[in-house]
CSV table of all heavy atoms in Angstrom, one decimal:
chain,number,residue,atom,x,y,z
Q,802,ASN,N,13.9,38.9,2.2
Q,802,ASN,CA,12.6,39.2,2.1
Q,802,ASN,C,11.8,37.8,2.6
Q,802,ASN,O,11.8,37.0,1.9
Q,802,ASN,CB,11.9,39.6,0.8
Q,802,ASN,CG,10.5,39.6,0.8
Q,802,ASN,OD1,9.8,40.0,1.7
Q,802,ASN,ND2,9.9,39.3,-0.5
Q,803,SER,N,11.1,38.0,3.7
Q,803,SER,CA,10.4,36.7,4.2
Q,803,SER,C,8.9,37.0,3.9
Q,803,SER,O,8.1,35.9,4.3
Q,803,SER,CB,10.6,36.5,5.7
Q,803,SER,OG,10.0,37.2,6.4
Q,804,THR,N,8.4,38.0,3.3
Q,804,THR,CA,7.1,38.2,3.1
Q,804,THR,C,6.6,37.7,1.8
Q,804,THR,O,7.5,37.3,1.0
Q,804,THR,CB,6.7,39.9,3.1
Q,804,THR,OG1,7.1,40.4,1.9
Q,804,THR,CG2,7.5,40.4,4.3
Q,805,SER,N,5.2,37.8,1.4
Q,805,SER,CA,4.8,37.4,0.2
Q,805,SER,C,4.7,38.4,-0.8
Q,805,SER,O,4.2,38.3,-1.9
Q,805,SER,CB,3.4,36.7,0.5
Q,805,SER,OG,2.5,37.6,1.0
Q,806,ALA,N,5.3,39.6,-0.4
Q,806,ALA,CA,5.3,40.7,-1.4
Q,806,ALA,C,6.2,40.4,-2.7
Q,806,ALA,O,7.2,40.0,-2.6
Q,806,ALA,CB,5.9,42.0,-0.7
Q,807,GLY,N,5.5,40.5,-3.7
Q,807,GLY,CA,6.1,40.1,-5.0
Q,807,GLY,C,5.8,38.7,-5.5
Q,807,GLY,O,6.3,38.4,-6.6
Q,808,LEU,N,5.0,38.0,-4.8
Q,808,LEU,CA,4.7,36.6,-5.0
Q,808,LEU,C,3.8,36.7,-6.4
Q,808,LEU,O,4.1,35.9,-7.3
Q,808,LEU,CB,4.0,35.9,-3.9
Q,808,LEU,CG,3.5,34.4,-4.3
Q,808,LEU,CD1,4.7,33.6,-4.7
Q,808,LEU,CD2,2.8,33.9,-3.0
Q,809,LYS,N,2.7,37.5,-6.3
Q,809,LYS,CA,1.9,37.6,-7.5
Q,809,LYS,C,1.7,39.0,-7.9
Q,809,LYS,O,0.8,39.2,-8.7
Q,809,LYS,CB,0.5,37.0,-7.0
Q,809,LYS,CG,0.5,35.5,-6.7
Q,809,LYS,CD,-1.0,35.2,-6.7
Q,809,LYS,CE,-1.1,33.6,-6.5
Q,809,LYS,NZ,-0.7,33.1,-5.1
Q,810,ASP,N,2.4,39.9,-7.4
Q,810,ASP,CA,2.4,41.3,-7.7
Q,810,ASP,C,3.6,42.0,-7.9
Q,810,ASP,O,4.8,41.3,-7.9
Q,810,ASP,CB,1.4,42.0,-6.6
Q,810,ASP,CG,2.0,41.7,-5.2
Q,810,ASP,OD1,3.3,41.6,-5.0
Q,810,ASP,OD2,1.2,41.5,-4.3
Q,811,GLU,N,3.6,43.3,-8.0
Q,811,GLU,CA,4.9,44.0,-8.1
Q,811,GLU,C,5.3,44.8,-6.8
Q,811,GLU,O,5.8,45.8,-6.9
Q,811,GLU,CB,4.7,45.1,-9.4
Q,811,GLU,CG,4.5,44.3,-10.6
Q,811,GLU,CD,5.7,43.3,-10.9
Q,811,GLU,OE1,6.8,43.8,-10.8
Q,811,GLU,OE2,5.4,42.2,-11.1
Q,812,GLU,N,4.5,44.4,-5.7
Q,812,GLU,CA,4.8,45.0,-4.5
Q,812,GLU,C,6.2,44.8,-3.9
Q,812,GLU,O,6.8,43.7,-4.2
Q,812,GLU,CB,3.8,44.3,-3.4
Q,812,GLU,CG,2.4,44.6,-3.6
Q,812,GLU,CD,1.8,45.9,-3.1
Q,812,GLU,OE1,2.2,46.3,-2.0
Q,812,GLU,OE2,1.3,46.6,-3.9
Q,813,LEU,N,6.5,45.7,-3.2
Q,813,LEU,CA,7.9,45.7,-2.4
Q,813,LEU,C,7.5,45.4,-1.0
Q,813,LEU,O,6.5,45.7,-0.5
Q,813,LEU,CB,8.7,47.0,-2.5
Q,813,LEU,CG,9.3,47.3,-3.9
Q,813,LEU,CD1,9.8,48.7,-3.8
Q,813,LEU,CD2,10.5,46.4,-4.1
Q,814,PRO,N,8.5,44.7,-0.2
Q,814,PRO,CA,8.0,44.3,1.2
Q,814,PRO,C,8.3,45.5,2.2
Q,814,PRO,O,7.9,45.2,3.3
Q,814,PRO,CB,9.2,43.2,1.5
Q,814,PRO,CG,10.3,43.5,0.6
Q,814,PRO,CD,9.7,44.1,-0.7
Q,815,ALA,N,8.8,46.6,1.8
Q,815,ALA,CA,8.9,47.8,2.6
Q,815,ALA,C,8.7,49.0,1.6
Q,815,ALA,O,9.0,48.9,0.4
Q,815,ALA,CB,10.0,47.7,3.4
Q,816,PRO,N,8.6,50.1,2.2
Q,816,PRO,CA,8.6,51.5,1.4
Q,816,PRO,C,9.9,51.5,0.5
Q,816,PRO,O,11.1,51.3,1.1
Q,816,PRO,CB,8.5,52.6,2.5
Q,816,PRO,CG,7.9,51.9,3.7
Q,816,PRO,CD,8.3,50.5,3.7
Q,817,LYS,N,9.8,52.0,-0.7
Q,817,LYS,CA,10.9,51.9,-1.6
Q,817,LYS,C,12.1,52.7,-1.0
Q,817,LYS,O,13.3,52.3,-1.2
Q,817,LYS,CB,10.6,52.4,-2.9
Q,817,LYS,CG,11.5,52.2,-4.1
Q,817,LYS,CD,11.0,52.7,-5.4
Q,817,LYS,CE,12.1,52.3,-6.4
Q,817,LYS,NZ,11.7,52.7,-7.8
Q,818,GLU,N,11.9,53.9,-0.6
Q,818,GLU,CA,12.9,54.8,-0.1
Q,818,GLU,C,13.7,54.0,1.1
Q,818,GLU,O,14.9,54.0,1.1
Q,818,GLU,CB,12.4,56.1,0.3
Q,818,GLU,CG,13.5,57.2,0.6
Q,818,GLU,CD,12.8,58.5,1.0
Q,818,GLU,OE1,11.5,58.7,0.9
Q,818,GLU,OE2,13.5,59.3,1.5
Q,819,LEU,N,13.0,53.3,2.0
Q,819,LEU,CA,13.7,52.7,3.1
Q,819,LEU,C,14.5,51.6,2.6
Q,819,LEU,O,15.7,51.4,2.9
Q,819,LEU,CB,12.5,52.2,4.0
Q,819,LEU,CG,13.0,51.4,5.2
Q,819,LEU,CD1,11.8,51.5,6.2
Q,819,LEU,CD2,13.3,50.0,5.1
Q,820,LEU,N,14.0,50.8,1.7
Q,820,LEU,CA,14.7,49.7,1.0
Q,820,LEU,C,16.0,50.2,0.3
Q,820,LEU,O,17.1,49.6,0.4
Q,820,LEU,CB,13.9,48.9,0.1
Q,820,LEU,CG,12.8,47.9,0.7
Q,820,LEU,CD1,12.1,47.4,-0.5
Q,820,LEU,CD2,13.6,46.8,1.5
Q,821,GLU,N,15.8,51.3,-0.4
Q,821,GLU,CA,16.9,51.7,-1.2
Q,821,GLU,C,18.1,52.1,-0.4
Q,821,GLU,O,19.4,52.0,-0.5
Q,821,GLU,CB,16.6,53.0,-2.0
Q,821,GLU,CG,15.7,52.7,-3.3
Q,821,GLU,CD,15.2,53.8,-3.9
Q,821,GLU,OE1,15.1,54.9,-3.5
Q,821,GLU,OE2,14.8,53.7,-5.1
Q,822,ASN,N,17.8,52.8,0.9
Q,822,ASN,CA,18.8,53.1,1.8
Q,822,ASN,C,19.4,52.0,2.4
Q,822,ASN,O,20.7,52.0,2.7
Q,822,ASN,CB,18.2,53.9,2.9
Q,822,ASN,CG,17.9,55.5,2.6
Q,822,ASN,OD1,18.4,55.9,1.8
Q,822,ASN,ND2,16.8,56.0,3.3
Q,823,VAL,N,18.8,50.9,2.7
Q,823,VAL,CA,19.3,49.6,3.2
Q,823,VAL,C,20.2,49.0,2.2
Q,823,VAL,O,21.4,48.5,2.4
Q,823,VAL,CB,18.2,48.7,3.6
Q,823,VAL,CG1,18.8,47.3,4.0
Q,823,VAL,CG2,17.5,49.2,4.9
Q,824,LEU,N,19.6,48.8,1.0
Q,824,LEU,CA,20.3,48.0,-0.1
Q,824,LEU,C,21.6,48.7,-0.8
Q,824,LEU,O,22.5,48.0,-1.3
Q,824,LEU,CB,19.3,47.7,-1.2
Q,824,LEU,CG,18.2,46.7,-0.9
Q,824,LEU,CD1,17.0,46.7,-1.9
Q,824,LEU,CD2,18.6,45.3,-0.7
Q,825,LYS,N,21.6,50.0,-0.5
Q,825,LYS,CA,22.8,50.6,-1.2
Q,825,LYS,C,24.2,50.3,-0.4
Q,825,LYS,O,25.2,50.5,-0.8
Q,825,LYS,CB,22.6,52.1,-1.4
Q,825,LYS,CG,22.5,53.0,-0.1
Q,825,LYS,CD,22.2,54.5,-0.5
Q,825,LYS,CE,21.9,55.3,0.6
Q,825,LYS,NZ,21.3,56.5,0.3
Q,826,SER,N,24.0,49.9,0.9
Q,826,SER,CA,25.2,49.5,1.7
Q,826,SER,C,25.3,48.0,2.0
Q,826,SER,O,26.2,47.6,2.6
Q,826,SER,CB,25.1,50.2,2.9
Q,826,SER,OG,24.1,50.0,3.9
Q,827,SER,N,24.3,47.2,1.4
Q,827,SER,CA,24.4,45.7,1.7
Q,827,SER,C,25.0,45.0,0.5
Q,827,SER,O,25.2,45.6,-0.5
Q,827,SER,CB,23.0,45.1,1.9
Q,827,SER,OG,22.1,45.4,0.8
Q,828,SER,N,25.5,43.7,0.8
Q,828,SER,CA,26.2,42.9,-0.3
Q,828,SER,C,25.3,41.9,-1.0
Q,828,SER,O,25.4,41.4,-2.1
Q,828,SER,CB,27.3,42.4,0.2
Q,828,SER,OG,28.2,43.3,0.8
Q,829,PHE,N,24.3,41.3,-0.1
Q,829,PHE,CA,23.6,40.1,-0.6
Q,829,PHE,C,22.1,40.5,-0.3
Q,829,PHE,O,21.8,41.0,0.7
Q,829,PHE,CB,24.0,39.0,0.1
Q,829,PHE,CG,25.5,38.7,0.1
Q,829,PHE,CD1,26.3,38.9,1.1
Q,829,PHE,CD2,26.1,38.1,-1.1
Q,829,PHE,CE1,27.6,38.9,1.0
Q,829,PHE,CE2,27.4,37.9,-1.2
Q,829,PHE,CZ,28.2,38.1,-0.2
Q,830,ALA,N,21.2,39.9,-1.1
Q,830,ALA,CA,19.9,39.9,-1.1
Q,830,ALA,C,19.1,38.5,-1.3
Q,830,ALA,O,19.5,38.0,-2.4
Q,830,ALA,CB,19.1,41.1,-2.0
Q,831,PHE,N,18.2,38.2,-0.5
Q,831,PHE,CA,17.7,36.8,-0.6
Q,831,PHE,C,16.2,37.0,-0.5
Q,831,PHE,O,15.7,37.8,0.3
Q,831,PHE,CB,18.2,35.9,0.6
Q,831,PHE,CG,17.7,34.5,0.4
Q,831,PHE,CD1,18.6,33.5,-0.1
Q,831,PHE,CD2,16.5,34.1,0.9
Q,831,PHE,CE1,18.1,32.1,-0.2
Q,831,PHE,CE2,16.1,32.7,0.9
Q,831,PHE,CZ,17.0,31.9,0.2
Q,832,ASP,N,15.5,36.3,-1.4
Q,832,ASP,CA,14.0,36.4,-1.3
Q,832,ASP,C,13.5,35.1,-1.2
Q,832,ASP,O,13.8,34.0,-1.8
Q,832,ASP,CB,13.4,36.9,-2.6
Q,832,ASP,CG,12.0,37.5,-2.4
Q,832,ASP,OD1,11.3,36.7,-1.8
Q,832,ASP,OD2,11.7,38.5,-2.8
Q,833,CYS,N,12.7,34.7,-0.1
Q,833,CYS,CA,12.2,33.3,0.2
Q,833,CYS,C,11.2,32.9,-0.8
Q,833,CYS,O,10.9,31.7,-0.9
Q,833,CYS,CB,11.4,33.3,1.5
Q,833,CYS,SG,12.7,33.6,2.8
Q,834,ILE,N,10.7,33.9,-1.7
Q,834,ILE,CA,9.9,33.5,-2.8
Q,834,ILE,C,10.7,32.8,-4.0
Q,834,ILE,O,11.9,33.3,-4.1
Q,834,ILE,CB,9.2,34.7,-3.4
Q,834,ILE,CG1,8.1,35.3,-2.3
Q,834,ILE,CG2,8.4,34.4,-4.7
Q,834,ILE,CD1,7.7,36.6,-2.7
Q,835,TYR,N,10.2,31.8,-4.5
Q,835,TYR,CA,11.0,31.2,-5.6
Q,835,TYR,C,10.4,31.1,-6.9
Q,835,TYR,O,9.2,31.4,-7.1
Q,835,TYR,CB,11.4,29.7,-5.2
Q,835,TYR,CG,10.2,28.7,-5.0
Q,835,TYR,CD1,9.7,28.0,-6.2
Q,835,TYR,CD2,9.5,28.7,-3.8
Q,835,TYR,CE1,8.6,27.2,-6.0
Q,835,TYR,CE2,8.3,27.9,-3.7
Q,835,TYR,CZ,7.9,27.1,-4.7
Q,835,TYR,OH,6.8,26.4,-4.6
Q,836,GLY,N,11.1,30.9,-8.0
Q,836,GLY,CA,10.6,30.9,-9.3
Q,836,GLY,C,10.3,32.1,-10.0
Q,836,GLY,O,9.9,32.1,-11.2
Q,837,ARG,N,10.6,33.3,-9.4
Q,837,ARG,CA,10.7,34.5,-10.1
Q,837,ARG,C,11.5,35.6,-9.4
Q,837,ARG,O,11.9,35.5,-8.3
Q,837,ARG,CB,9.2,35.0,-10.2
Q,837,ARG,CG,8.7,35.6,-8.9
Q,837,ARG,CD,7.4,36.2,-9.1
Q,837,ARG,NE,7.3,37.3,-9.9
Q,837,ARG,CZ,6.4,38.4,-9.9
Q,837,ARG,NH1,5.4,38.4,-9.0
Q,837,ARG,NH2,6.4,39.4,-10.7
Q,838,ILE,N,12.1,36.5,-10.2
Q,838,ILE,CA,12.9,37.4,-9.8
Q,838,ILE,C,11.9,38.6,-9.3
Q,838,ILE,O,11.3,39.2,-10.1
Q,838,ILE,CB,13.9,38.1,-10.8
Q,838,ILE,CG1,14.8,36.9,-11.2
Q,838,ILE,CG2,14.7,39.2,-10.2
Q,838,ILE,CD1,15.6,36.4,-10.1
Q,839,THR,N,11.7,38.7,-8.0
Q,839,THR,CA,10.8,39.7,-7.5
Q,839,THR,C,11.1,41.3,-7.7
Q,839,THR,O,12.4,41.5,-7.8
Q,839,THR,CB,10.5,39.4,-6.1
Q,839,THR,OG1,11.8,39.5,-5.3
Q,839,THR,CG2,9.9,38.0,-5.7
Q,840,PRO,N,10.2,42.0,-7.5
Q,840,PRO,CA,10.6,43.6,-7.4
Q,840,PRO,C,11.7,43.9,-6.4
Q,840,PRO,O,12.6,44.6,-6.7
Q,840,PRO,CB,9.4,44.2,-7.2
Q,840,PRO,CG,8.3,43.2,-7.7
Q,840,PRO,CD,8.8,41.9,-7.4
Q,841,PHE,N,11.6,43.0,-5.2
Q,841,PHE,CA,12.6,43.3,-4.3
Q,841,PHE,C,14.1,42.9,-4.7
Q,841,PHE,O,15.1,43.7,-4.6
Q,841,PHE,CB,12.3,42.4,-3.0
Q,841,PHE,CG,13.4,42.3,-2.1
Q,841,PHE,CD1,13.9,43.4,-1.3
Q,841,PHE,CD2,14.1,41.0,-1.9
Q,841,PHE,CE1,15.0,43.2,-0.4
Q,841,PHE,CE2,15.2,40.9,-1.0
Q,841,PHE,CZ,15.7,41.9,-0.3
Q,842,LEU,N,14.2,41.7,-5.4
Q,842,LEU,CA,15.4,41.4,-6.0
Q,842,LEU,C,16.0,42.3,-7.1
Q,842,LEU,O,17.1,42.5,-7.3
Q,842,LEU,CB,15.4,39.9,-6.4
Q,842,LEU,CG,15.3,38.8,-5.4
Q,842,LEU,CD1,15.3,37.5,-6.0
Q,842,LEU,CD2,16.4,38.9,-4.4
Q,843,VAL,N,15.0,42.7,-8.0
Q,843,VAL,CA,15.4,43.6,-9.1
Q,843,VAL,C,16.0,44.9,-8.4
Q,843,VAL,O,17.0,45.4,-8.9
Q,843,VAL,CB,14.1,44.1,-9.9
Q,843,VAL,CG1,14.4,45.2,-10.9
Q,843,VAL,CG2,13.6,42.9,-10.7
Q,844,LEU,N,15.3,45.4,-7.5
Q,844,LEU,CA,15.9,46.5,-6.8
Q,844,LEU,C,17.3,46.2,-6.1
Q,844,LEU,O,18.1,47.1,-6.2
Q,844,LEU,CB,14.7,47.1,-5.6
Q,844,LEU,CG,15.2,48.4,-4.9
Q,844,LEU,CD1,15.2,49.7,-5.9
Q,844,LEU,CD2,14.2,48.7,-4.0
Q,845,ALA,N,17.3,45.2,-5.5
Q,845,ALA,CA,18.6,44.8,-4.8
Q,845,ALA,C,19.7,44.7,-5.7
Q,845,ALA,O,20.9,45.2,-5.6
Q,845,ALA,CB,18.5,43.5,-4.1
Q,846,LYS,N,19.3,44.2,-7.1
Q,846,LYS,CA,20.4,44.0,-8.1
Q,846,LYS,C,20.8,45.4,-8.6
Q,846,LYS,O,22.0,45.6,-9.0
Q,846,LYS,CB,19.9,43.1,-9.1
Q,846,LYS,CG,21.0,42.5,-10.0
Q,846,LYS,CD,20.3,41.5,-11.0
Q,846,LYS,CE,21.6,40.9,-11.8
Q,846,LYS,NZ,21.2,40.2,-12.9
Q,847,SER,N,19.9,46.3,-8.5
Q,847,SER,CA,20.3,47.6,-9.1
Q,847,SER,C,21.3,48.4,-8.2
Q,847,SER,O,21.9,49.3,-8.6
Q,847,SER,CB,19.1,48.5,-9.3
Q,847,SER,OG,18.5,49.0,-8.1
Q,848,PHE,N,21.3,48.0,-6.9
Q,848,PHE,CA,22.5,48.4,-6.1
Q,848,PHE,C,23.6,47.4,-5.8
Q,848,PHE,O,24.2,47.5,-5.0
Q,848,PHE,CB,21.7,48.7,-4.7
Q,848,PHE,CG,20.9,49.8,-4.7
Q,848,PHE,CD1,19.5,49.8,-4.7
Q,848,PHE,CD2,21.5,51.1,-4.6
Q,848,PHE,CE1,18.6,50.9,-4.8
Q,848,PHE,CE2,20.7,52.3,-4.6
Q,848,PHE,CZ,19.2,52.1,-4.7
Q,849,HIS,N,23.7,46.5,-7.0
Q,849,HIS,CA,24.9,45.6,-7.1
Q,849,HIS,C,25.0,44.6,-6.0
Q,849,HIS,O,26.1,44.2,-5.7
Q,849,HIS,CB,26.2,46.5,-7.2
Q,849,HIS,CG,26.1,47.5,-8.3
Q,849,HIS,ND1,26.0,47.2,-9.6
Q,849,HIS,CD2,26.1,48.9,-8.3
Q,849,HIS,CE1,26.0,48.4,-10.4
Q,849,HIS,NE2,26.1,49.4,-9.5
Q,850,ASN,N,23.8,44.3,-5.4
Q,850,ASN,CA,23.8,43.2,-4.4
Q,850,ASN,C,23.8,41.9,-5.2
Q,850,ASN,O,23.3,41.7,-6.3
Q,850,ASN,CB,22.6,43.1,-3.6
Q,850,ASN,CG,22.6,44.3,-2.4
Q,850,ASN,OD1,22.7,43.9,-1.4
Q,850,ASN,ND2,22.5,45.5,-2.8
Q,851,GLU,N,24.5,40.9,-4.7
Q,851,GLU,CA,24.4,39.5,-5.2
Q,851,GLU,C,23.0,38.9,-4.8
Q,851,GLU,O,22.8,39.0,-3.5
Q,851,GLU,CB,25.5,38.7,-4.8
Q,851,GLU,CG,25.6,37.2,-5.4
Q,851,GLU,CD,26.6,36.4,-4.8
Q,851,GLU,OE1,27.7,36.8,-4.4
Q,851,GLU,OE2,26.5,35.1,-4.6
Q,852,ILE,N,22.1,38.4,-5.7
Q,852,ILE,CA,20.8,38.0,-5.3
Q,852,ILE,C,20.6,36.6,-5.4
Q,852,ILE,O,21.2,35.9,-6.3
Q,852,ILE,CB,19.8,38.8,-6.2
Q,852,ILE,CG1,19.9,38.6,-7.7
Q,852,ILE,CG2,19.9,40.4,-6.0
Q,852,ILE,CD1,18.8,39.0,-8.6
Q,853,LYS,N,19.6,36.1,-4.7
Q,853,LYS,CA,19.2,34.6,-4.9
Q,853,LYS,C,17.8,34.6,-4.3
Q,853,LYS,O,17.4,35.1,-3.4
Q,853,LYS,CB,20.1,33.9,-3.7
Q,853,LYS,CG,20.2,32.5,-4.0
Q,853,LYS,CD,21.2,31.8,-3.1
Q,853,LYS,CE,21.3,30.3,-3.5
Q,853,LYS,NZ,22.4,29.6,-2.7
Q,854,ASP,N,17.0,33.7,-5.2
Q,854,ASP,CA,15.6,33.4,-4.9
Q,854,ASP,C,15.6,32.2,-3.9
Q,854,ASP,O,16.5,31.8,-3.5
Q,854,ASP,CB,14.7,33.3,-6.0
Q,854,ASP,CG,15.0,31.9,-6.7
Q,854,ASP,OD1,15.9,31.1,-6.3
Q,854,ASP,OD2,14.0,31.6,-7.6
Q,855,GLY,N,14.4,32.0,-3.6
Q,855,GLY,CA,14.1,30.9,-2.5
Q,855,GLY,C,14.3,29.4,-3.0
Q,855,GLY,O,14.0,28.5,-2.2
Q,856,GLU,N,14.8,29.2,-4.2
Q,856,GLU,CA,14.7,27.8,-4.7
Q,856,GLU,C,15.6,26.9,-3.8
Q,856,GLU,O,15.1,25.8,-3.5
Q,856,GLU,CB,15.2,27.8,-6.1
Q,856,GLU,CG,15.2,26.3,-6.7
Q,856,GLU,CD,15.8,26.2,-8.1
Q,856,GLU,OE1,15.1,26.6,-9.1
Q,856,GLU,OE2,16.9,25.5,-8.2
Q,857,ASP,N,16.9,27.3,-3.5
Q,857,ASP,CA,17.6,26.5,-2.6
Q,857,ASP,C,17.1,26.2,-1.3
Q,857,ASP,O,17.2,25.2,-0.7
Q,857,ASP,CB,19.1,27.1,-2.6
Q,857,ASP,CG,20.0,26.7,-3.7
Q,857,ASP,OD1,19.5,25.9,-4.6
Q,857,ASP,OD2,21.2,27.1,-3.7
Q,858,MET,N,16.4,27.2,-0.7
Q,858,MET,CA,15.8,27.1,0.7
Q,858,MET,C,14.7,26.0,0.5
Q,858,MET,O,14.5,25.2,1.2
Q,858,MET,CB,15.3,28.4,1.0
Q,858,MET,CG,14.6,28.4,2.5
Q,858,MET,SD,14.1,30.0,3.0
Q,858,MET,CE,13.2,29.5,4.5
Q,859,LEU,N,13.9,26.2,-0.5
Q,859,LEU,CA,12.8,25.2,-0.7
Q,859,LEU,C,13.3,23.9,-1.0
Q,859,LEU,O,12.9,22.8,-0.4
Q,859,LEU,CB,12.0,25.7,-1.9
Q,859,LEU,CG,10.9,24.7,-2.4
Q,859,LEU,CD1,9.7,24.8,-1.4
Q,859,LEU,CD2,10.4,24.9,-3.9
Q,860,LEU,N,14.5,23.8,-1.8
Q,860,LEU,CA,15.0,22.5,-2.0
Q,860,LEU,C,15.5,21.9,-0.8
Q,860,LEU,O,15.2,20.7,-0.4
Q,860,LEU,CB,16.2,22.5,-3.0
Q,860,LEU,CG,17.1,21.3,-3.3
Q,860,LEU,CD1,16.2,20.2,-3.8
Q,860,LEU,CD2,18.4,21.7,-4.1
Q,861,TYR,N,16.3,22.5,-0.1
Q,861,TYR,CA,17.0,22.0,1.2
Q,861,TYR,C,16.0,21.7,2.4
Q,861,TYR,O,16.1,20.6,3.0
Q,861,TYR,CB,18.1,22.9,1.7
Q,861,TYR,CG,19.3,22.9,0.8
Q,861,TYR,CD1,19.9,24.1,0.3
Q,861,TYR,CD2,19.9,21.7,0.2
Q,861,TYR,CE1,21.0,24.1,-0.7
Q,861,TYR,CE2,20.9,21.8,-0.7
Q,861,TYR,CZ,21.4,22.9,-1.1
Q,861,TYR,OH,22.5,23.0,-2.1
Q,862,GLN,N,15.0,22.6,2.5
Q,862,GLN,CA,13.9,22.2,3.5
Q,862,GLN,C,13.3,20.9,3.1
Q,862,GLN,O,12.9,20.2,4.0
Q,862,GLN,CB,13.1,23.4,3.8
Q,862,GLN,CG,12.2,23.8,2.7
Q,862,GLN,CD,10.9,23.0,2.5
Q,862,GLN,OE1,10.4,22.5,3.4
Q,862,GLN,NE2,10.3,23.0,1.4
Q,863,GLY,N,13.0,20.9,1.6
Q,863,GLY,CA,12.3,19.7,1.3
Q,863,GLY,C,13.2,18.4,1.4
Q,863,GLY,O,12.7,17.3,1.6
Q,864,VAL,N,14.5,18.5,1.2
Q,864,VAL,CA,15.4,17.3,1.3
Q,864,VAL,C,15.4,16.9,2.8
Q,864,VAL,O,15.3,15.8,3.1
Q,864,VAL,CB,17.0,17.8,1.0
Q,864,VAL,CG1,17.9,16.6,1.4
Q,864,VAL,CG2,17.0,17.9,-0.6
Q,865,LEU,N,15.4,17.9,3.7
Q,865,LEU,CA,15.2,17.5,5.2
Q,865,LEU,C,13.9,16.8,5.5
Q,865,LEU,O,14.0,15.9,6.4
Q,865,LEU,CB,15.5,18.7,6.1
Q,865,LEU,CG,17.0,19.3,5.9
Q,865,LEU,CD1,16.9,20.7,6.5
Q,865,LEU,CD2,18.0,18.4,6.7
Side-chain angles (χ1 to χ4, degrees):
N802 175 32
S803 78
T804 78
S805 58
L808 177 62
K809 292 199 176 70
D810 50 39
E811 295 306 306
E812 295 278 312
L813 287 167
K817 190 173 183 186
E818 195 180 339
L819 186 156
L820 282 178
E821 286 174 342
N822 284 334
V823 169
L824 292 167
K825 66 184 176 197
S826 61
S827 60
S828 304
F829 307 102
F831 184 95
D832 203 315
C833 296
I834 294 169
Y835 63 90
R837 70 175 299 205
I838 300 297
T839 58
F841 165 71
L842 290 181
V843 170
L844 187 64
K846 199 169 183 193
S847 76
F848 287 100
H849 307 293
N850 281 251
E851 186 183 326
I852 63 169
K853 193 168 191 181
D854 77 350
E856 185 186 288
D857 273 3
M858 181 178 174
L859 179 74
L860 174 68
Y861 293 127
Q862 66 77 27
V864 168
L865 293 163

